[in-house]
Amino acid sequence: MENRQEPDVVRPDTSLFGHLLDFIDKHPDITQIRSHIQRLKEATASEDLSYVGPRTQQAGHRIYDELIGACFQQVSRATSREDLLKNFIDTLDALGNQSPARCIFVLEEMPNTDKDAPLEISGLEQRRIVPERWNNYCENVLPQLSKNQFFAETLRAGNPLELWHSLYIPQYQGEFDALFYKSKEPRKRGYWISGIPLPSGGIRHPNRTLFVLYPDPGDELRPRLPSGAIQEWRALSFLGIAYRMLNHQLASIAEQVHTRRQELLTALAPGILHHEIGIQISIIRSLVSDQNYLVQRILEHCPEQDTENMGLLIGSVGHLYDAARRLYGVTDAFNNLERRQSRGRLQLQTVVAEAYTVIYNRLGNAGVGVEWDDEELAREIVSDPALLLHLLVNILLNATQAFINRPDEETNPRERLISIHVEEISTPEPDTLHIVMDIYNNGPSIPPGNLERIFEKGFTTRRDGHGQGLYICRLISQYLGGQLRALDPRELATEYTVGFRLELPFTMPHVIDLESERAPPNKGEP
């Protein structure tokens, strides 16, 4: 019998068949699969798989456009990646019958530089799946998913699955069947799978993939997309873009923090150098002069028991020590603002005191007092001291500037107050606690509509403002493993009008030095 080679199959426009045929071209001995795909192509040639139905074309665009718009609005507010993902799947689930999705779930895997090492895949969240079925799937079925070469390579490479059909995925062994099919439902028809990768951008955090499974209204030879599936894929694609934008924001925070620090140094240096350091040096010079005079008197008269002069000398030495310590505190806190440090064990009271010292002159000029309880702030955490200092300085400066900009509103200048309180709270994770730092003031209140907008990049109510301070503060809080938000007026005590809540873990979750992420200067540049 003549050995005839099959002619090359013309690739269709859809990415589903394109990927399948590319895979088959690499395995020319699988002639049966090639023939089956060719028959599938011919059987579906007249089918319009892009048709989504008149109802979805009219209303679906608006629904999913709003979902896409919400994603990018959260990016502008520096929402955490976890909240972005949760809000998206919650909204998708809330669409009810308007969304054709039957199963929505998120898998995550830890990046591994060793390509031969098996993936560690775990289930993160799900919607529209019976909890018992999901738990059983994560425990018994999911560990086998890493053994599927197709899914392992897809997850490792971060490739999207754009509405692939379960019956025609190479090497697919029905790994999602236990989630999709009901107990007595026939399994011949298959289902559609969408998967959008959500990479972490680093090797210390898990990569995630959001999967959505759709029923097939057609059959195994003539599969049909359900109405709205294409619009939903469009929304998933934009979720992936928004997720990567948040990754980029976290990666570029080093440059933003560095720039903001330089602005703070420029703004604070004149006041600190001319006022704080000048006053302390003047006091030291005066005290040294007094001590010199007293010593001369003692040497001249040499009394055996001059208790009065000795008492004055001892008191003068004490004041000299206090002034010197104050001078050291000012310069050390100011230097810490510029110096980069890796994470370390620190006491909250120390960082708060440093932040207060750095802007002491500004606070004094505005007539603003700051109060805290040293015992309450005596808790130790493992975090980045320089970034935490930067965050606190920004919040205190923000409150001080609000007092200055509207001096006649709501408060008397002699009663201006910022109050800092700390407590421990339990978290959903067993045996873990977080630190909660509340920073209140009795200055001009924030309109309810701006409680989230103040964290948007570029949003400001000041003529000379740039809208970067609180935006960067929220990014820093996320980098430190916590979160920052403005308190609703109903959460405040009656004596306060504005409040910020900073939640931090006792141990910072990762040790990336942000300054090392900044692009190094070109050779030859200063």
Side-chain angles (χ1 to χ4, degrees), residues 17 39-49 221-223:
F17 299 125
R39 292 197 307 271
L40 179 63
K41 176 199 170 189
E42 295 171 355
T44 59
S46 61
E47 300 295 328
D48 182 9
L49 297 183
L221 288 181
R222 293 176 179 268

Side-chain angles (χ1 to χ4, degrees), residues 64 70 79 81 84 103 109 111 127 182 188 276 286 298 323 331 350 356 411 417 474 476 478 485 512:
Y64 293 109
T79 302
R81 294 171 296 183
L84 171 69
C103 303
E109 55 91 11
R127 301 292 185 275
K182 299 176 182 178
K188 293 183 179 181
E276 288 294 321
S286 177
I298 293 173
T331 55
T350 302
Y356 173 76
T411 60
L417 180 64
R474 175 168 276 186
I476 291 176
Q478 294 174 14
R485 67 180 179 91
I512 301 175

Side-chain angles (χ1 to χ4, degrees), residues 286-506:
S286 177
L287 290 172
V288 170
S289 177
D290 291 343
Q291 289 184 60
N292 182 62
Y293 173 76
L294 290 173
V295 170
Q296 292 297 327
R297 291 289 303 273
I298 293 173
L299 291 176
E300 288 177 5
H301 299 282
C302 294
E304 294 183 0
Q305 293 182 347
D306 192 347
T307 55
E308 182 179 357
N309 283 338
M310 289 301 295
L312 291 174
L313 179 60
I314 293 173
S316 181
V317 170
H319 289 302
L320 176 61
Y321 171 77
D322 290 339
R325 185 175 60 178
R326 170 68 177 164
L327 178 60
Y328 172 80
V330 170
T331 55
D332 186 62
F334 193 64
N335 288 335
N336 278 348
L337 189 65
E338 171 63 9
R339 185 174 65 246
R340 280 295 307 134
Q341 300 176 355
S342 60
R343 78 170 184 176
R345 187 171 297 278
L346 58 93
Q347 197 171 73
L348 289 176
Q349 190 274 339
T350 302
V351 181
V352 170
E354 283 190 358
Y356 173 76
T357 301
V358 166
I359 62 170
Y360 176 80
N361 183 42
R362 285 284 186 92
L363 293 167
N365 290 339
V368 179
V370 182
E371 65 175 15
W372 67 83
D373 186 334
D374 284 341
E375 184 176 348
E376 196 176 82
L377 269 66
R379 295 172 171 86
E380 285 190 347
I381 64 173
V382 176
S383 191
D384 186 316
L387 284 182
L388 183 56
L389 173 63
H390 181 84
L391 187 154
L392 293 176
V393 167
N394 267 281
I395 292 180
L396 295 178
L397 278 178
N398 187 75
T400 304
Q401 194 62 45
F403 281 118
I404 295 174
N405 288 346
R406 290 184 279 184
D408 299 328
E409 293 186 21
E410 302 186 29
T411 60
N412 186 301
R414 291 174 296 179
E415 300 172 349
R416 296 173 175 177
L417 180 64
I418 299 174
S419 184
I420 302 174
H421 299 274
V422 171
E423 63 177 342
E424 299 176 5
I425 62 169
S426 58
T427 66
E429 301 177 6
D431 302 325
T432 59
L433 294 174
H434 274 199
I435 286 291
V436 172
M437 178 182 292
D438 289 333
I439 305 174
Y440 309 112
N441 71 73
N442 60 351
S445 59
I446 301 173
N450 289 346
L451 289 176
E452 269 299 312
R453 292 193 65 197
I454 58 177
F455 295 104
E456 292 183 9
K457 185 177 182 180
F459 177 80
T460 181
T461 57
R462 291 165 43 194
R463 291 184 178 180
D464 59 343
H466 47 62
Q468 297 285 338
L470 291 177
Y471 167 74
I472 291 178
C473 284
R474 175 168 276 186
L475 287 179
I476 291 176
S477 70
Q478 294 174 14
Y479 173 79
L480 297 179
Q483 59 182 352
L484 174 68
R485 67 180 179 91
L487 293 173
D488 188 277
R490 292 169 294 185
E491 300 178 83
L492 301 173
T494 55
E495 63 267 29
Y496 301 113
T497 53
V498 177
F500 290 92
R501 173 160 294 176
L502 173 64
E503 294 186 21
L504 292 173
F506 271 94

Side-chain angles (χ1 to χ4, degrees), residues 13-25:
D13 293 333
T14 60
S15 60
L16 168 63
F17 299 125
H19 283 295
L20 285 173
L21 292 177
D22 285 340
F23 175 84
I24 292 169
D25 284 342

Side-chain angles (χ1 to χ4, degrees), residues 4-7 9 19-39 149 167-173:
R4 299 177 58 187
Q5 187 175 2
E6 290 188 37
V9 179
H19 283 295
L20 285 173
L21 292 177
D22 285 340
F23 175 84
I24 292 169
D25 284 342
K26 298 176 183 178
H27 303 78
D29 56 319
I30 313 179
T31 55
Q32 291 183 351
I33 297 181
R34 178 184 288 274
S35 300
H36 185 76
I37 296 300
Q38 178 63 19
R39 292 197 307 271
Q149 183 179 356
L167 297 182
Y168 307 112
I169 295 179
Q171 301 179 1
Y172 183 64
Q173 302 296 324

